[in-house]
Amino acid sequence: MHLGILSKEAVTFDPLKPIVLRGPFTEDASSVFSGNVVLTLTKPTKITSIIVTLKSISNTYWPEGIGERGTRLSSETPLTEQRSQIVPSKNETRNVLLLPEGTHRFSFVFLVPNSTVETINDAYGRVYHSVEVQVIRTGISFLNCWRAHKPVLVLRCYMSNSLLVNNTLPSLSRTFEKQMTIGDVEVVVEAAAFSPGDVFYVRFTIQPQYKYVRLEKIELKVTESRHYCIKSMRARRSNKEELPLIFADATRISSHSESISYQNLDSTEDVRAVFETNAQGIDLTDTFSHRVGFATPTCKQNIHPSTHFQEILLRHHLEISIVMSYADEGNTIAVMNRTHSSSSVNALQSSHSHPAMVTGVWQNMLLGLRKSRNEVDKEMCGRRRETTVLETLITVFDCRLKEDYTRLPSYFELGVGPPDLDTFSKPKNGNKTKSEVSVLPPIESILKANVFYCPCYFEFCNQLEMASHTLYLPHDLSLPILDRAPSRPPPDYLDI
């Protein structure tokens, strides 16, 4: 029988903040992890030492069996371990600390390097972190020792300290340009990173060069490659899973010369036939230029964050497939006039013959551009299909980090209404002219696709809120003020 059950004394932790590592694992930086140990006593007690340990452990599961005899079904690897002795402190000479009855809090602080492996929770591999406290009383240490442990969540986001001090923020966008037989294609991925449940935006610009060109289908999917490896036991396993991106909404991209009308920008229904499962396609009589939003897979669909840990390596690739067809009547096809200049055509040809890596933060970004494949569609007599497949390596963040890597949240995402611009443009006499009245777009026409917030996200927010209460903050005055301050969002823009 455990001796702690017969006693009313208890040792626990205050609510702890998750550890958010900033930037890649190669960056020389660290994050502060702090908290309080809560010791509840019903009578005066003598304490000899209080030790807090922060551990990181990796576990991989092998149902097929590993080892020399193939009888081991799992492998556990200790990654890191940090120990901090709170009692006695460095400036204290006495070996025994007498604590009166009541509740006592002891602060602890750890510096977590950026090379730490973030939390991984997969079916065949896990990396978990925990903090453990050991309170030793006078007497026999085995019988007079209280223990408590609590899991710690470790996440990684894109924004790092080095990026904040740079003059320019590197872009996460990826641009593809391809000159096909029947037209020129330009695809711009606005951000090659997303969080599960977020909205993924891609801009498509297709200019046909022949008449009777038809855009049959555009399909996007994310491939998650999982690699598990234990070098000491020569165990390896690899698998992958393809997850489609669901079409959410589309907005027409208009040139500067055209008059902008917010009611005419929404093109969701016009292009829906291209992105549906049973795509029927649309005829291209003019330039196809749209900004399309896709709903990304959620954490409930078994998608995991990208990792760098070699034992549990999770990578993600984005594949964009564009299928176009044109009339093939005896190889006599009416050619439309090109509007591209010679310089743009040469740029397209150079990008087609020598696919270049996109410059950015990640220089090792794999940016593959396959050659187009021509294939005859037997169901459509007299038409020939041409398929182009574009591939790039993307990063998937944790589902709890939806607004923490590339942009600031908007008014709509914060639940705050947009500012009333009419009050700023109102003249002193109180009369407004037609030119002074600000025409705001209807919200329903712009916010077609919404971010999906999973239960993990709300649990993460509640954990941050609980750990930010003044009662649970570390009372160590040696800590910087920013580390002792609660994590509260900035004030509203209108209140500044």
Side-chain angles (χ1 to χ4, degrees):
M1 181 179 294
H2 198 275
L3 297 179
I5 300 178
L6 303 178
S7 177
K8 295 183 179 180
E9 285 81 2
V11 53
T12 58
F13 291 95
D14 276 337
L16 301 174
K17 284 187 180 181
I19 303 174
V20 180
L21 305 175
R22 301 188 175 274
F25 68 97
T26 55
E27 184 172 347
D28 187 12
S30 59
S31 301
V32 177
F33 174 65
S34 59
N36 293 327
V37 176
V38 182
L39 183 60
T40 304
L41 302 176
T42 58
K43 60 182 180 179
T45 307
K46 294 182 180 181
I47 304 297
T48 59
S49 64
I50 300 178
I51 302 174
V52 181
T53 307
L54 180 62
K55 297 180 180 180
S56 301
I57 299 176
S58 169
N59 259 332
T60 53
Y61 307 99
W62 306 86
E64 66 275 13
I66 57 175
E68 296 181 356
R69 299 181 180 180
T71 56
R72 295 190 58 177
L73 302 180
S74 63
S75 175
E76 181 175 307
T77 305
L79 300 179
T80 59
E81 181 175 338
Q82 298 186 45
R83 296 170 62 91
S84 175
Q85 186 169 353
I86 304 176
V87 175
S89 60
K90 296 181 180 179
N91 301 328
E92 199 170 2
T93 57
R94 52 184 177 179
N95 298 328
V96 179
L97 177 63
L98 179 61
L99 297 177
E101 60 177 333
T103 302
H104 306 271
R105 280 183 167 85
F106 301 90
S107 301
F108 63 89
V109 178
F110 290 101
L111 287 180
V112 182
N114 226 33
S115 58
T116 304
V117 182
E118 56 271 19
T119 300
I120 303 174
N121 191 6
D122 185 43
Y124 295 104
R126 292 181 57 201
V127 173
Y128 58 92
H129 311 264
S130 63
V131 57
E132 180 181 345
V133 60
Q134 183 178 1
V135 180
I136 303 177
R137 298 176 293 169
T138 56
I140 303 175
S141 60
F142 178 76
L143 300 176
N144 299 290
C145 180
W146 296 331
R147 297 177 183 269
H149 65 90
K150 193 171 185 178
V152 178
L153 182 63
V154 179
L155 305 177
R156 186 181 301 275
C157 66
Y158 166 73
M159 189 63 67
S160 62
N161 297 333
S162 61
L163 292 178
L164 293 176
V165 299
N166 287 343
N167 295 328
T168 59
L169 184 64
S171 176
L172 286 174
S173 64
R174 302 290 178 263
T175 303
F176 303 88
E177 293 181 351
K178 180 69 180 295
Q179 183 177 356
M180 302 171 61
T181 305
I182 56 178
D184 298 335
V185 178
E186 181 181 0
V187 179
V188 179
V189 178
E190 294 189 359
F194 68 87
S195 176
D198 209 343
V199 182
F200 191 77
Y201 289 102
V202 182
R203 286 178 284 173
F204 296 92
T205 302
I206 302 175
Q207 184 175 7
Q209 305 300 338
Y210 295 130
K211 293 182 179 180
Y212 314 115
V213 176
R214 185 176 180 82
L215 180 58
E216 299 291 347
K217 186 177 182 180
I218 298 179
E219 184 181 8
L220 277 74
K221 61 181 179 181
V222 175
T223 302
E224 181 177 279
S225 303
R226 310 183 187 102
H227 304 279
Y228 310 93
C229 174
I230 303 296
K231 294 183 179 180
S232 60
M233 299 185 182
R234 300 180 180 180
R236 295 179 182 273
R237 185 199 299 119
S238 298
N239 55 50
K240 65 179 181 179
E241 184 177 357
E242 294 182 353
L243 301 169
L245 299 184
I246 308 301
F247 171 73
D249 66 348
T251 305
R252 185 175 291 103
I253 302 176
S254 59
S255 61
H256 297 285
S257 60
E258 299 178 0
S259 59
I260 300 178
S261 176
Y262 292 104
Q263 289 78 8
N264 297 331
L265 287 180
D266 185 16
S267 60
T268 303
E269 299 301 328
D270 298 338
V271 302
R272 186 181 295 275
V274 179
F275 298 96
E276 289 181 344
T277 304
N278 299 324
Q280 299 178 358
I282 58 176
D283 296 326
L284 296 182
T285 58
D286 199 356
T287 303
F288 180 89
S289 183
H290 298 270
R291 181 176 184 259
V292 185
F294 297 89
T296 57
T298 64
C299 59
K300 303 299 181 181
Q301 296 175 312
N302 201 27
I303 188 171
H304 305 86
S306 304
T307 64
H308 67 276
F309 187 43
Q310 295 298 323
E311 291 189 5
I312 309 172
L313 187 61
L314 305 179
R315 295 291 179 90
H316 298 84
H317 293 81
L318 174 67
E319 181 177 310
I320 305 174
S321 176
I322 303 175
V323 182
M324 301 173 63
S325 66
Y326 58 95
D328 188 9
E329 300 176 357
N331 296 331
T332 58
I333 303 176
V335 182
M336 299 174 63
N337 294 329
R338 290 181 178 266
T339 58
H340 288 296
S341 61
S342 59
S343 60
S344 63
V345 173
N346 294 333
L348 288 173
Q349 292 176 352
S350 61
S351 64
H352 169 59
S353 57
H354 301 284
M357 302 295 288
V358 179
T359 59
V361 181
W362 300 304
Q363 297 296 334
N364 59 348
M365 181 68 67
L366 176 62
L367 185 58
L369 180 59
R370 296 184 186 173
K371 295 183 179 179
S372 58
R373 300 189 296 268
N374 295 333
E375 52 186 24
V376 178
D377 190 353
K378 298 180 181 180
E379 298 179 358
M380 303 176 60
C381 299
R383 299 191 68 86
R384 183 177 294 272
R385 282 192 172 186
E386 189 167 341
T387 303
T388 299
V389 180
L390 310 174
E391 292 182 347
T392 183
L393 182 66
I394 63 173
T395 302
V396 177
F397 294 97
D398 195 270
C399 60
R400 304 168 182 87
L401 300 177
K402 286 186 168 57
E403 300 163 353
D404 204 13
Y405 54 94
T406 55
R407 59 183 175 85
L408 293 175
S410 63
Y411 290 109
F412 307 105
E413 294 168 337
L414 290 175
V416 181
D420 188 5
L421 299 182
D422 293 341
T423 58
F424 296 100
S425 60
K426 184 182 295 185
K428 295 181 180 180
N429 55 9
N431 298 324
K432 293 183 290 183
T433 61
K434 294 182 179 180
S435 60
E436 293 173 343
V437 176
S438 301
V439 180
L440 296 178
I443 298 178
E444 293 80 5
S445 63
I446 299 178
L447 298 179
K448 292 293 183 180
N450 297 322
V451 179
F452 173 78
Y453 293 99
C454 57
C456 308
Y457 175 80
F458 292 106
E459 183 181 354
F460 174 73
C461 294
N462 293 333
Q463 189 175 357
L464 285 178
E465 184 179 0
M466 287 293 297
S468 300
H469 290 174
T470 307
L471 177 64
Y472 304 134
L473 293 178
H475 299 282
D476 190 358
L477 298 179
S478 62
L479 292 177
I481 298 178
L482 292 179
D483 294 335
R484 291 186 280 116
S487 296
R488 295 179 180 176
D492 298 337
Y493 297 109
L494 297 178
D495 297 340
I496 296 178

